[in-house]
Amino acid sequence: MKFRFLFALLAVLATAVLPTALSTPALAQAQAQQEGPDYAQWNKVASRVEKVLAEGKASTAAFDTLRGELVDWRTRFLDAQNINSARIKTLRDQISALGDPPAEGETEPQEIAKRRAELTKQLNEAQAPSLKAVEAYSRADGLIREIDQIIRERQADQLLQLGPSPVNPVNWAAGLTAIRGTLVEVGNELSSNWENPNARATMRSALPVTLLFLALAALLTVRGRRWMEMLSVFLAQRGRGRGRTLFSGIASLGQIVVPTLGVVLLAGALKSSAMLGLRTERLAQILPILGFTIFTAGWLGGRVFAQLGVSRAILTLPPERRAEGRFNSWIIGLILALAMLAQEVSKVETYSAEAVAVLSFPILLLAGLMLSRMGQLLLAHSRADSAESPEERPYRNRVAAFLGRAAIGAGLIGPLLAAVGYAEAGDFFVYPSILTLALMGFLLLLQRFVTDIYAILMGRDVEDPENGGDLIPVLIGMMLVLLSLPVLALIWGARIADLTELWTRFTAGYSIGGTRISPTSFLTFVVVFTLGYALTRLVQGMLRSTVLPKTKIDPGGQTALISGVGYVGIFLAGVVSVTTAGIDLSSLAIVAGALSVGIGFGLQTIVQNFVSGIILLIERPVSQGDWIEVGGVMGIVKDISVRSTRIQTFDRTDVIVPNADLIAGQVTNWTRQNLTGRVILKVGVAYGSDTRKVEKILMEIGESHPLVMVNPAPLVVFQGFGADALEFELRVILRDINYGLSVRTELNHEIARRFAEEGIEIPFAQRDIWLRNPETLRERPAPQPPGPFLPRQSAEPQPEPLADLGGDADADGGDGPR
């Protein structure tokens, strides 16, 4: 087992180590900018590293040291690649201004040829430093890759290395001898210091401080955690305000800080006693780390498997399983502390491989057992979900089920591998799995903390079950998961150098089609585009609320102008942001051209609607607020977007019409030029009515309505002689066609009233029914029962079919003789 487990556990709670490590490239870059690369010194360093790589005998620590030196040089070379960049761009522009060079066999004027040669020479001289930096960067990067490959191969070989088996009784004696030797050496150190008069004098002089430290250490270690736990429970159950649960969680951190401070005082008391030797002083130095590990594990288990009433439930478990989870957490903390202690002792004493295997196996076996029990708790939480199928379970519960099964498997496989002799592989399965579960638990607590803070800011109670459904806490939780990925990589054996290498390559950018896109350029693009977009919206808002209302432009024209300003502004913002970020898109023109063909075929309908939308905004055959009819849909235009137009029908439903239909199809616009419109009412009167009187009444009705225009005047048309009535039409022009239905209704009411007063009849359709052969309706004789059925003979003559329904007893449908 390696010390990386301790580091990873501490990194779960304090990720400040990673930003510090990641700041190394920035410091190296600043130094490179001040000093500049010394290529003579670099050649010496590179040659020395190449020699070490060729021999392949250096230790992993030595390779790490060489790698750090190479990373510093590589950062300098990356920065040196931008030397004379402005001058190079100017020279290239000058050469481009001279035109294309002459083709083979052709010549150009002597002055232009001379000038082109001078500029080309200057360009080559200006590019020389950057090209040299590029070559040195490639060399440094290649050496770094070779070192990383060697270290990874060594790690893989170490995992697959077969050592002594701890279950072999032959090796037990080595373990017992090693631990007995350590205890004897510790006793000898203490007795030697006690027999030393100077050491006793120092102890007596520091005795008050030592006793004070011991008393405080005992008080804080034994009772401090209990006091902090009581404070947390008090705030959760009896606190006031919406944030009582949040404050209880913050106060619970004292369960780590206070007892750990007691352990620190204990280590200080041991050091002040002057009785410690080389071994015991080394153990006293790691004592606070061991205490911190134990108390952190206990605190994490106490929050994840919290008692009901102390904190909201994170896992759906009964009280007895929660108590089991808290107990398992304390045991796991003790196991991790023992593992780190055994590792440190084995380093100090230089134990043999047999002794290390025998002493570490019981700790690993117990760790695997506790890991399996934790996996069973996660499975119990997942099975408590009432969903019928796994697909219906929440994603968090499915992840818990997966982690539970993985924990059980790792808890079984790890000790089995260690029993065979693969100690490193066994440690790799068990301890990283424990730390992964700890990281997941810490992320759940951190997500709960963020959700509670958001609920307080929104003025809600943190106990409200609806708090977890808000978008912002969910997004923050996803970001926390992404930020925890480096810690997870460290847990599973990644080196800090691996993470810094990824960060360096990310900040250096990636080359796409000859264009290097880095996070800096991307950030510049986002910032400039955001500013341009915000400025565009600001101008649109000013036009909409301040400028355009004071003009005589109609609402549809105002909308078209505002939309046009938005399109132009967004386009300019994109162009300016790309230019400011320094992204050269010329090298991507070929790729973009090839993609545009496929996109054109796949998105031709969308492009067609987009172009149609631009045409609608420019020509404005249809504007917002118009009453139109297109494709059998009639309504008011509410919005014209880039792809479609929204029409609200008269039954208050929205119909989305593609813009291409408005351009290519037939559209009836009732209110485009003006609001006037004609209404035609058809009226029928009975035959014999006075047609002149009818015409006069209809004219009076049309002229009396206030919305009917006088010029042109209403018109009454005698259409003709219908089948049931004399047909008239009243045609009127309205000032506002939007009131056409209400005017039609009022005019019909008035026509019905006036016709009733004047005694003019409005006929209804009449039909005369003529019966042919009415004698068939006379009383018929009762039908006779049918005779016996005789099969038809083909030779017998058949009766002719009846021409009509009359004059035959078989007219009612009966069968005749056959």
Side-chain angles (χ1 to χ4, degrees):
M1 186 185 63
K2 299 181 179 180
F3 226 140
R4 65 173 181 268
F5 302 123
L6 170 63
F7 172 78
L9 182 60
L10 297 178
V12 172
L13 300 176
T15 57
V17 177
L18 187 58
T20 303
L22 297 181
S23 64
T24 303
L27 296 177
Q29 183 177 1
Q31 183 179 1
Q33 292 176 351
Q34 295 176 0
E35 300 176 0
D38 185 356
Y39 290 99
Q41 181 65 25
W42 157 244
N43 289 328
K44 295 180 181 180
V45 173
S47 300
R48 177 166 53 90
V49 174
E50 289 172 350
K51 182 180 179 181
V52 173
L53 287 173
E55 295 176 354
K57 298 180 180 180
S59 63
T60 302
F63 275 127
D64 282 331
T65 304
L66 292 176
R67 188 187 185 283
E69 190 174 356
L70 290 175
V71 168
D72 178 66
W73 280 104
R74 186 181 63 179
T75 306
R76 296 183 187 181
F77 297 143
L78 180 62
D79 182 68
Q81 293 179 14
N82 296 323
I83 295 177
N84 299 331
S85 58
R87 179 61 179 164
I88 292 173
K89 185 179 183 304
T90 302
L91 291 172
R92 286 177 177 174
D93 293 340
Q94 288 179 285
I95 295 175
S96 299
L98 296 178
D100 296 333
E104 185 178 357
E106 298 180 359
T107 60
E108 61 180 349
Q110 184 177 0
E111 295 181 358
I112 297 178
K114 182 179 179 181
R115 183 57 179 168
R116 187 188 302 275
E118 293 177 355
L119 293 175
T120 304
K121 181 180 178 181
Q122 295 178 16
L123 179 62
N124 294 333
E125 293 175 353
Q127 288 179 335
S130 60
L131 294 177
K132 190 174 183 180
V134 170
E135 185 274 333
Y137 176 89
S138 301
R139 186 180 183 185
D141 187 67
L143 294 176
I144 291 173
R145 291 176 183 272
E146 291 183 27
I147 292 177
D148 288 339
Q149 183 178 0
I150 291 176
I151 294 177
R152 283 193 291 266
E153 289 177 355
R154 289 184 176 182
Q155 289 178 341
D157 294 340
Q158 189 175 8
L159 285 177
L160 300 178
Q161 184 178 1
L162 180 62
S165 174
V167 296
N168 188 354
V170 178
N171 299 324
W172 294 354
L176 295 177
T177 303
I179 193 66
R180 183 172 63 250
T182 299
L183 294 177
V184 170
E185 292 295 335
V186 170
N188 293 336
E189 287 181 355
L190 294 177
S191 61
S192 176
N193 290 331
W194 178 256
E195 294 174 357
N196 189 348
N198 295 331
R200 288 203 304 270
T202 303
M203 184 188 67
R204 284 193 296 268
S205 62
L207 186 60
V209 177
T210 303
L211 294 178
L212 178 61
F213 280 7
L214 287 176
L216 292 176
L219 183 63
L220 295 178
T221 305
V222 178
R223 302 298 302 174
R225 197 195 70 82
R226 179 58 181 169
W227 291 340
M228 292 294 100
E229 184 179 358
M230 294 172 60
L231 176 61
S232 177
V233 173
F234 175 80
L235 292 176
Q237 296 180 349
R238 302 182 182 180
R240 297 180 179 180
R242 293 188 297 266
R244 59 184 182 275
T245 305
L246 176 63
F247 298 143
S248 172
I250 296 175
S252 67
L253 293 175
Q255 301 176 24
I256 302 176
V257 177
V258 174
T260 302
L261 181 59
V263 177
V264 172
L265 293 176
L266 176 61
L270 295 177
K271 291 181 181 180
S272 65
S273 64
M275 292 288 105
L276 300 181
L278 179 62
R279 295 173 178 80
T280 51
E281 186 174 358
R282 185 75 175 271
L283 297 178
Q285 290 177 355
I286 70 169
L287 195 59
I289 299 177
L290 303 180
F292 178 79
T293 303
I294 295 173
F295 297 126
T296 300
W299 171 82
L300 190 59
R303 301 305 298 181
V304 175
F305 303 97
Q307 299 179 7
L308 298 178
V310 176
S311 178
R312 284 181 296 159
I314 294 181
L315 300 179
T316 307
L317 294 172
E320 61 275 8
R321 302 306 298 270
R322 292 174 179 272
E324 179 184 350
R326 293 192 296 271
F327 175 77
N328 292 344
S329 300
W330 280 106
I331 298 300
I332 288 175
L334 291 173
I335 292 171
L336 293 177
L338 287 175
M340 287 185 289
L341 180 61
Q343 180 186 15
E344 190 66 20
V345 171
S346 63
K347 287 182 179 180
V348 175
E349 298 293 338
T350 62
Y351 287 161
S352 63
E354 292 79 5
V356 172
V358 171
L359 294 177
S360 61
F361 180 73
I363 303 176
L364 180 65
L365 183 62
L366 187 58
L369 176 61
M370 291 296 103
L371 180 61
S372 300
R373 295 185 63 177
M374 282 295 190
Q376 293 174 1
L377 292 178
L378 291 177
L379 288 179
H381 160 73
S382 177
R383 293 175 183 140
D385 194 350
S386 59
E388 296 181 357
S389 62
E391 291 76 10
E392 297 177 356
R393 296 180 182 176
Y395 180 73
R396 179 179 296 182
N397 290 352
R398 283 184 281 170
V399 172
F402 170 76
L403 291 177
R405 296 187 182 94
I408 295 175
L412 296 176
I413 295 175
L416 290 177
L417 291 175
V420 174
Y422 294 99
E424 288 291 337
D427 292 346
F428 180 79
F429 271 96
V430 175
Y431 293 108
S433 300
I434 292 176
L435 296 179
T436 300
L437 293 183
L439 178 62
M440 296 297 105
F442 179 75
L443 288 177
L444 290 176
L445 294 179
L446 200 57
Q447 172 68 21
R448 178 62 54 81
F449 180 77
V450 171
T451 304
D452 292 346
I453 291 180
Y454 181 79
I456 293 176
L457 294 178
M458 294 293 102
R460 298 198 298 261
D461 192 349
V462 296
E463 300 292 341
D464 188 357
E466 299 295 332
N467 291 333
D470 294 328
L471 177 61
I472 294 180
V474 172
L475 294 179
I476 295 177
M478 294 176 61
M479 183 179 64
L480 292 175
V481 172
L482 293 178
L483 293 177
S484 67
L485 293 180
V487 180
L488 188 63
L490 291 174
I491 289 175
W492 287 96
R495 300 175 298 126
I496 298 180
D498 297 332
L499 300 180
T500 55
E501 181 69 15
L502 290 176
W503 177 256
T504 301
R505 296 189 180 278
F506 176 73
T507 54
Y510 299 91
S511 295
I512 302 177
T515 300
R516 180 173 290 273
I517 301 178
S518 63
T520 304
S521 59
F522 180 76
L523 182 62
T524 303
F525 171 81
V526 172
V527 171
V528 175
F529 182 81
T530 302
L531 292 177
Y533 182 81
L535 181 61
T536 301
R537 293 305 184 192
L538 181 63
V539 172
Q540 285 183 302
M542 183 176 61
L543 291 176
R544 183 183 294 107
S545 60
T546 305
V547 178
L548 293 181
K550 298 180 181 179
T551 64
K552 296 182 180 180
I553 303 176
D554 59 278
Q558 295 181 10
T559 302
L561 182 59
I562 293 173
S563 300
V565 170
Y567 296 146
V568 173
I570 293 176
F571 175 76
L572 292 179
V575 173
V576 173
S577 59
V578 169
T579 305
T580 306
I583 301 175
D584 185 12
L585 300 181
S586 59
S587 57
L588 301 178
I590 299 178
V591 179
L595 290 177
S596 62
V597 176
I599 294 175
F601 282 107
L603 304 178
Q604 56 181 345
T605 303
I606 297 178
V607 175
Q608 181 183 10
N609 290 325
F610 176 80
V611 175
S612 300
I614 300 297
I615 296 175
L616 287 177
L617 294 176
I618 294 176
E619 294 186 356
R620 295 195 298 121
V622 174
S623 300
Q624 185 176 353
D626 288 354
W627 174 10
I628 68 172
E629 180 179 1
V630 54
V633 177
M634 180 181 294
I636 305 299
V637 176
K638 290 299 182 180
D639 181 51
I640 301 177
S641 61
V642 190
R643 189 195 66 84
S644 60
T645 297
R646 182 169 62 91
I647 300 175
Q648 186 181 76
T649 62
F650 296 111
D651 55 359
R652 292 299 186 265
T653 59
D654 287 346
V655 178
I656 307 301
V657 179
N659 289 331
D661 293 350
L662 299 175
I663 296 298
Q666 181 177 355
V667 181
T668 302
N669 195 328
W670 298 91
T671 60
R672 179 69 187 101
Q673 301 297 332
N674 52 62
L675 296 179
T676 59
R678 187 172 69 173
V679 173
I680 300 177
L681 285 82
K682 295 182 179 181
V683 182
V685 298
Y687 277 92
S689 302
D690 188 352
T691 57
R692 293 296 180 180
K693 184 177 181 181
V694 172
E695 179 182 6
K696 179 181 178 181
I697 293 174
L698 292 176
M699 183 66 71
E700 292 176 354
I701 293 174
E703 293 176 347
S704 63
H705 198 281
L707 287 181
V708 175
M709 297 183 64
V710 179
N711 187 16
L715 177 64
V716 177
V717 180
F718 185 9
Q719 284 289 101
F721 304 93
D724 302 307
L726 302 175
E727 297 176 349
F728 287 83
E729 285 185 359
L730 174 60
R731 301 183 178 186
V732 295
I733 304 297
L734 304 183
R735 293 186 176 88
D736 192 347
I737 193 61
N738 292 311
Y739 297 96
L741 291 178
S742 60
V743 171
R744 180 185 295 272
T745 300
E746 294 173 1
L747 291 178
N748 283 329
H749 282 300
E750 185 65 17
I751 290 173
R753 186 184 67 82
R754 289 291 304 275
F755 279 12
E757 291 179 354
E758 300 293 339
I760 298 176
E761 180 185 358
I762 300 178
F764 52 87
Q766 298 181 3
R767 296 290 183 268
D768 293 336
I769 300 177
W770 293 80
L771 298 179
R772 298 179 61 186
N773 302 324
E775 59 274 11
T776 58
L777 298 178
R778 292 176 298 182
E779 184 177 356
R780 302 176 183 178
Q784 298 295 328
F789 176 77
L790 298 176
R792 177 180 298 175
Q793 301 298 327
S794 58
E796 294 181 1
Q798 304 298 320
E800 296 294 333
L802 299 178
D804 52 27
L805 298 178
D808 200 334
D810 296 330
D812 59 352
D815 294 334
R818 295 173 180 259

